[in-house]
Amino acid sequence: MMLWALLTVFGFTLIGGGLLYGHRKSHADSLVLAKALTLKLRESVLFLDSILRELPVVVYVKDTEKLRFVHVNPAGERLLGISRWELIGRRNQECFLPEEAAVFEANDRAVVVSGRPMEASQETVTTRTRKKRTIRVRRSPIKDPQGNFRYLLGVVEDITDQVISEAALRQAKLEAESSNRSKSVFLAQMSHELRTPLNSVIGFANLLLKNKKGNLSADDLQRLQKILGNGTHLLELINSILDLSRVEAGRMPINKTPVPLGPLVTQTVGELAGSLPESGPVTLRAEMPETLSPLETDSSKLKQIIINLVGNAMKFTLKGSITVRVKADSSGAPLCLEVSDTGIGIPADKVDSIFEAFQQVDNGNSRKFGGTGLGLTVSRALANLLGYHMELESEVGRGSTFRVVFRTVPPALEVPRG
Ligand code: ADP
C-alpha cells in the first residue's frame, strides 16, 4: 500500500513538474522507491526472524564454504548456552569439543558435497555448562538465487530425555524378563523336587489300598482313597506347573522330526477310548484326509496337546461324540488339528479367559467336573512353542471345537475334511 501511495505521488509530481526537472525528480523518486523496498525487505526479514525466534527446535544456518555459523535461533542459544554473537562467523572447531566438532564437520560436509538433505539419528553435543545432550539433526542444502548451494540449514531436536527414558524402559524390560525367567526356573526346580516325595505318597497309598493283610477297615480304605485322589490331583497340578514354567524359562526341549499324523492321532485316540465305557453315550473317533504328508513337529508335545483336549472333551461331553480331525491342503500338507465335541459348550465371554491359568468356566463346574484349570494353558503354551496357535469355536449346549493351527492358508485352498 505504502509503495503504491509513493508511486502515485511520484507520478503526480512528474506530470505537474514538466520535463525541466525530470532528471532530478526521477533520481529523487528512485531513492524513495529504494527506501520503500528496503522497508519491505526489513519487514519480511523481521517476520522470518520472529518465526525462527519462536520455534522450539534449534535452527542454524552455515555457509557451505567454511561451514561458519551465519544464523542461530534463540532455541540454539538456549541449548548450547552460547550467544548467537559468539557463534556467528565461527566454525565447528571453534565452538565445540574436538570429537563432537569432527562429527558435525563430517556430516555438514557430506550434505554440502551430496547436495541432498540428511538426517543423523543421534549426535552428541556438550553445552557451555558441560552438559552432554543427545540431538537429532536434519541438514539440508540451501540454494542462492543463482541456484548454487551457498548455505546449509540445520534443524536440531534435543532428544536427550527421550533417549534416557527409552534406555530406562529397555533396562526395566530386561530386568522384568530376567526376574520372570528366575521365577520360572525356581518353579521348574521346585515342582521337580516336589514330584519325588509325592510319587512315593501315591505309590504307598496304592499299595495300602490293596489291603493285602486284610486288616484295614472300610473307613481306612475310604480315607486312603481320598489320599490317593488328592495326591493324584496334586501331581497333575505340579506336572502342569512344571511344564508351564519350563516353557516360560525356555527350558522345554523340543525334538522336531517328520511325524506321520495318521498313526499318531489313531494311536492316541485308541488309548483314550479305553477310558470310555463301550457302547456308552459318548463315542470317540479320528478323521483324517486321504492324503496326508508328515508334519515336522515334536510328536510327544503334540500328543500331550491331543490328550489334554480330548480329556476335556470327555469331561464336558455327557452324550454324543468327540472327533479328533486333521485337515490338510490339496497337496496333503497338514493345516490343523481339531478336537470337536457335542458337550456343554463354553459361553462366548469365557472363550478367551479359559486359556489363562486356573480359569474355569465357573466354580460350580470345577467342583462338578474336577480339573486343575491348567490344561488349556499348558496346551496353548506347548502349541506356541511348536510355532502353532490355538483357536476355539463353541456354543453353549451344542459343543466346542478346539483347533491347533499349524499354518494358515486362504480358505479357498482348504480341502473338505477327508
Ligand atoms: P481343567 O479342565 O483342568 O479345568 P483346562 O484349562 O483344561 O482346565 O480348562 C479350563 C476350563 O475350560 C474348564 O474348567 C472348562 O470350564 C472349560 N473347558 C475346557 N474344555 C472344554 C470343553 N471341551 N467343553 C466345555 N468346557 C471346556
Side-chain angles (χ1 to χ4, degrees), residues 312 315-316 341 346 354 359-361 371-376 402:
N312 277 348
K315 203 157 56 172
F316 298 105
D341 65 56
I346 296 155
I354 54 162
Q359 293 300 316
Q360 298 177 317
V361 167
T372 59
L374 284 171
L376 288 179
F402 286 86

Side-chain angles (χ1 to χ4, degrees), residues 233 236 308-317 339-341 343-347 350 353-362 365-366 369-379 392 394 399-402:
H233 180 76
E236 267 174 41
N308 284 355
L309 296 180
V310 174
N312 277 348
M314 292 192 331
K315 203 157 56 172
F316 298 105
T317 308
V339 176
S340 299
D341 65 56
I344 61 172
I346 296 155
K350 300 280 181 191
S353 66
I354 54 162
F355 284 94
E356 304 299 329
F358 303 110
Q359 293 300 316
Q360 298 177 317
V361 167
D362 68 37
N365 268 0
S366 77
F369 295 98
T372 59
L374 284 171
L376 288 179
T377 319
V378 172
S379 302
L392 165 59
S394 188
S400 315
T401 296
F402 286 86

Side-chain angles (χ1 to χ4, degrees), residues 244 247 254 256 301 305 355 376-391 403-405:
L244 268 182
V247 173
I254 312 177
K256 281 194 177 183
K301 303 219 166 34
I305 297 173
F355 284 94
L376 288 179
T377 319
V378 172
S379 302
R380 187 172 65 174
L382 290 177
N384 293 346
L385 188 70
L386 296 176
Y388 315 143
H389 72 268
M390 284 190 64
E391 291 174 355
R403 187 175 301 117
V404 182
V405 182

Side-chain angles (χ1 to χ4, degrees), residues 93-288:
Q93 295 83 341
E94 299 167 275
C95 306
F96 307 111
L97 293 182
E99 60 276 17
E100 292 167 2
V103 174
F104 298 154
E105 190 76 8
N107 289 345
D108 285 349
R109 192 57 67 200
V111 173
V112 172
V113 170
S114 71
R116 279 204 225 100
M118 185 179 106
E119 181 159 329
S121 56
Q122 244 169 285
E123 287 174 13
T124 313
V125 68
T126 305
T127 68
R128 176 147 289 176
T129 52
R130 316 299 289 166
K131 277 196 193 125
K132 269 205 181 314
R133 309 299 294 174
T134 310
I135 52 177
R136 184 187 293 133
V137 188
R138 187 178 164 78
R139 298 173 168 86
S140 316
I142 304 286
K143 284 183 185 167
D144 66 7
Q146 283 71 44
N148 301 317
F149 289 126
R150 287 272 311 280
Y151 297 105
L152 174 81
L153 171 74
V155 178
V156 183
E157 247 181 297
D158 183 351
I159 53 168
T160 314
D161 296 343
Q162 186 189 328
V163 168
I164 290 174
S165 56
E166 276 170 10
L169 218 62
R170 265 198 306 278
Q171 183 61 26
K173 189 166 170 271
L174 280 179
E175 279 167 17
E177 279 168 1
S178 140
S179 78
N180 192 35
R181 245 193 321 276
S182 331
K183 178 211 77 185
S184 302
V185 168
F186 168 76
L187 272 178
Q189 251 154 12
M190 192 196 71
S191 358
H192 187 71
E193 292 303 319
L194 284 177
R195 275 202 311 186
T196 320
L198 191 56
N199 272 324
S200 132
V201 170
I202 292 171
F204 281 115
N206 253 324
L207 208 66
L208 285 173
L209 261 176
K210 293 198 173 119
N211 198 7
K212 279 199 175 146
K213 289 188 182 160
N215 57 349
L216 295 174
S217 68
D219 272 0
D220 291 337
L221 292 174
Q222 210 180 358
R223 284 181 194 123
L224 271 173
Q225 196 64 53
K226 278 216 166 117
I227 293 177
L228 187 66
N230 284 320
T232 313
H233 180 76
L234 195 55
L235 188 62
E236 267 174 41
L237 257 176
I238 289 173
N239 281 339
S240 299
I241 292 174
L242 183 61
D243 283 343
L244 268 182
S245 41
R246 265 192 190 151
V247 173
E248 275 187 16
R251 287 185 168 197
M252 180 69 96
I254 312 177
N255 180 22
K256 281 194 177 183
T257 52
V259 178
L261 291 182
L264 175 78
V265 171
T266 324
Q267 190 198 346
T268 314
V269 164
E271 287 164 15
L272 292 166
S275 58
L276 284 173
E278 231 174 280
S279 62
V282 180
T283 58
L284 173 62
R285 64 199 172 102
E287 259 182 31
M288 228 73 62

